[in-house]
Amino acid sequence: MIDLNDVAVFVHVVRAGSFAAAGRRLNIPSNTVSRRLQMLEEQLGVRLLHRSTRQLSLTAPGREFFERCAPGIEDIVQAGANLTDISREAVGMLRVAAPADFFDNFSMEWICEFMQRYPKVQLEFLLSDNTVDLIAEGIDLAFRAGQLPDSSLVARKLTDSHRGLLASPAYLERCGTPQTLAELASHSCLASSTAAAHTLWRLEGANGAESVRVAPRLCIDTAHGLLRAARAGLGVAFLPMLVAAEDLRNGTLVMVLPEYRSDVSGMYAVYPHRRQLPLAVSALIDFVATKVEAGACSNPAHRRP
């Protein structure tokens, strides 16, 4: 008789794309994953996967077997998860991918609050500005900002965001407040790229899309570096409102030409599959959504004039 545990291992290998990634998700060594898959192939009398040093690929019988078995295995796992979740207690280790500056916006006090609320949840954050392969890296959840490319991943928008023009009160007192978009060309501006001597800022105003070409005196390749430069009075920056929310609340930065802003983008929670979403994952998504939305709503700059 075929061991359903071996069938489940096979489904995980196909989903993850490698023995190592499947092993991480199942919390077993990759050589154990390989051995169990070999035992399943011997029981069935067919090869299910082509193996190479670089990748795995399904054979024709393997594809047919996967398409027939995967839904049933997922239903069994979901049924078990539903029974486990009756207690409504979030448990387990979550691997979370987020931008490198995630904790500049999301405070450690909030993480402390979450972990006190869910004492049986462990968190492992992988911080990088590179887009990680959630399945290959065994990531349970990723937080991403901006426009998302089309993919098979599931995405939930947590909040809308846009970029606006910001400067410190000290800079505006020293250099004057721009009254038109064109006046920015004569101001000290802070930009994120040194690709050209001039940077084109595109914004939406009352009359639709407009643009201004500025000559940045200082270029920094991270949003928080630009935030600190603007806070220090070095010039006008074009920044995401979520990044600047705290400074706008406490007055260390103010809006410049608040009638202009960039197109709305967003912050998203991204995860591999809609089914089998562990309670700990949904709890973290809901918690982060509450915090970022509260931050956005309490920031008057997020309300269009």
Side-chain angles (χ1 to χ4, degrees), residues 231-254:
R231 191 187 293 150
L234 296 179
V236 180
F238 188 32
L239 286 169
M241 293 294 99
L242 281 177
V243 171
E246 185 63 28
D247 285 272
L248 288 165
R249 280 193 290 271
N250 62 33
T252 51
L253 291 177
V254 296

Side-chain angles (χ1 to χ4, degrees), residues 1-276:
M1 180 179 293
I2 295 174
D3 188 335
L4 289 181
N5 289 315
D6 292 342
V7 178
V9 168
F10 166 66
V11 170
H12 275 284
V13 169
V14 175
R15 293 285 193 207
S18 73
F19 293 143
R24 284 194 295 270
R25 297 194 70 83
L26 294 167
N27 198 28
I28 59 177
S30 59
N31 59 350
T32 302
V33 174
S34 177
R35 185 172 65 253
R36 293 181 69 169
L37 182 59
Q38 186 177 357
M39 291 169 58
L40 178 62
E41 289 177 324
E42 290 172 356
Q43 285 182 305
L44 295 172
V46 296
R47 180 175 287 276
L48 299 173
L49 290 169
H50 294 299
R51 301 159 174 83
S52 72
T53 54
R54 292 183 175 272
Q55 62 179 7
L56 301 174
S57 60
L58 285 164
T59 63
R63 183 171 300 281
E64 181 179 356
F65 187 67
F66 174 78
E67 290 174 352
R68 287 178 176 271
C69 293
I73 292 294
E74 290 171 351
D75 285 343
I76 291 170
V77 173
Q78 186 63 57
N82 289 344
L83 289 175
T84 302
D85 285 351
I86 288 175
S87 65
R88 306 310 297 165
E89 186 176 24
V91 298
M93 165 67 80
L94 297 187
R95 285 169 56 85
V96 184
D101 58 6
F102 181 76
F103 288 113
D104 289 334
N105 296 320
F106 198 84
S107 76
M108 280 297 173
E109 286 77 10
W110 292 346
I111 293 295
C112 181
E113 181 183 339
F114 176 83
M115 297 186 81
Q116 288 175 345
R117 187 179 301 180
Y118 302 102
K120 295 187 179 180
V121 175
Q122 299 165 281
L123 298 175
E124 178 185 357
F125 277 89
L126 293 84
L127 302 180
S128 172
D129 288 330
N130 297 324
T131 301
V132 230
D133 186 326
L134 271 60
I135 294 175
E137 297 296 326
I139 303 297
D140 299 293
L141 174 65
F143 293 108
R144 293 177 180 169
Q147 300 294 334
L148 295 184
D150 291 336
S151 77
S152 60
L153 301 173
V154 182
R156 171 182 162 186
K157 181 179 275 192
L158 303 182
T159 186
D160 286 324
S161 181
H162 65 272
R163 292 195 300 162
L165 299 164
L166 303 162
S168 71
Y171 172 81
L172 297 177
E173 184 177 351
R174 186 173 71 251
C175 301
T177 301
Q179 299 301 312
T180 67
L181 208 57
E183 288 181 24
L184 286 173
S186 61
H187 274 262
S188 295
C189 291
L190 312 172
S192 59
S193 172
T194 56
H198 292 77
T199 296
L200 188 68
W201 284 347
R202 295 181 176 88
L203 301 99
E204 293 283 334
N207 299 318
E210 297 184 48
S211 62
V212 59
R213 194 171 293 278
V214 299
R217 294 195 60 201
L218 177 64
C219 295
I220 304 176
D221 65 357
T222 67
H224 280 84
L226 290 172
L227 179 72
R228 288 189 285 272
R231 191 187 293 150
L234 296 179
V236 180
F238 188 32
L239 286 169
M241 293 294 99
L242 281 177
V243 171
E246 185 63 28
D247 285 272
L248 288 165
R249 280 193 290 271
N250 62 33
T252 51
L253 291 177
V254 296
M255 295 292 297
V256 175
L257 299 170
E259 65 273 22
Y260 288 97
R261 68 177 189 178
S262 69
D263 292 335
V264 172
S265 59
M267 178 179 176
Y268 297 84
V270 182
Y271 43 96
H273 305 293
R274 190 177 302 278
R275 302 172 71 181
Q276 303 177 36

